[in-house]
Amino acid sequence: MVGRRHAAGIAAVALVAGLGLTGCGSVSNPGSAAKVGDETISVSYLQKQSKDILAKAGRTDLGDAESTQLQGELLQQLIDDQVIVVAGRREGVTATQADVDKVRAEMTAQQVVLPPDMVDGFARYVVIRRTLSTKLLGRAPASQQDQAKADQLVGQRMTAAAKEIGVQVNPRYGTWSGTTLRPDGQLVKSTPSSAPAAVPAPQAP
């Protein structure tokens, strides 16, 4: 199965769809939802993903607050999709297309609803996170305690990766805490250190 933490970043997406899934700063460009390393996730791209998932879920009745929340959840996952690649690279972990295709099949079997543009990125996130969990824990998680420890270890690597490449978020969607997008809270400033090769951001077709 896809796993508990693997879908935590899109909890609101799953709720809207009616399905269950088992460095910091702010951008100055109003057209940018977030900047991850050298790559930009545009507001227009994020809004498109929101519209696409609502269409797939048969929903058109979200209010402004709910729409903003949904976009925030989607943005968190888009950021995570890029950060996990960097975290994996630092540990020698990557995802093959065969791995991604296998998880895509799992998602289809579970009827996971995601915007089409985000499916590959999320599947890659799941693959890398699973592999990192096993590598850092020294074995495949076999209990809730194992999974909690693995989540902690992976979270530490993702925090370090995000700090390395730098993550900036449009205040419209909240503030970046170093690991998660918070809808409010004190804005914390960070300066990216030496960044690795840029991870391609999802691009609108």
Side-chain angles (χ1 to χ4, degrees):
M1 61 186 296
V2 171
R4 176 177 57 83
R5 174 58 182 87
H6 300 146
I10 53 170
V13 177
L15 180 62
V16 169
L19 296 170
L21 297 178
T22 334
C24 319
S26 60
V27 294
S28 56
N29 180 359
S32 173
K35 188 172 182 182
V36 185
D38 293 331
E39 300 297 325
T40 297
I41 301 170
S42 70
V43 170
S44 60
Y45 177 79
L46 182 60
Q47 291 174 339
K48 179 181 183 300
Q49 305 319 302
S50 178
K51 290 178 181 177
D52 285 352
I53 196 168
L54 290 173
K56 288 178 70 68
R59 292 287 303 275
T60 59
D61 57 343
L62 290 190
D64 290 342
E66 289 178 298
S67 179
T68 298
Q69 180 184 0
L70 173 59
Q71 290 182 42
E73 294 286 349
L74 287 168
L75 182 58
Q76 173 76 60
Q77 189 60 51
L78 287 168
I79 293 171
D80 284 349
D81 288 348
Q82 296 188 59
V83 172
I84 196 73
V85 173
V86 179
R89 184 186 302 145
R90 289 161 60 111
E91 298 291 334
V93 172
T94 58
T96 67
Q97 189 58 49
D99 294 331
V100 171
D101 291 343
K102 182 178 179 180
V103 171
R104 282 185 61 121
E106 292 178 26
M107 293 165 62
T108 298
Q110 293 184 39
Q111 296 183 305
V112 175
V113 174
L114 275 176
D117 291 348
M118 290 181 63
V119 172
D120 274 355
F122 181 62
R124 184 169 294 106
Y125 169 85
V126 172
V127 171
I128 295 175
R129 189 174 186 100
R130 283 178 176 172
T131 308
L132 270 178
S133 293
T134 299
K135 180 173 184 177
L136 297 174
L137 191 64
R139 61 185 182 280
S143 66
Q144 289 185 346
Q145 290 82 0
D146 280 354
Q147 189 62 61
K149 180 61 175 178
D151 288 346
Q152 180 183 25
L153 293 171
V154 173
Q156 290 170 353
R157 273 36 175 210
M158 290 185 68
T159 298
K163 183 177 181 181
E164 178 181 344
I165 63 176
V167 175
Q168 297 176 310
V169 174
N170 189 323
R172 170 181 180 179
Y173 301 103
T175 57
W176 181 251
S177 72
T179 55
T180 57
L181 179 60
R182 299 182 302 191
D184 52 30
Q186 183 178 3
L187 182 64
V188 183
K189 180 180 180 182
S190 99
T191 303
S193 57
S194 56
V199 179
Q203 297 296 318

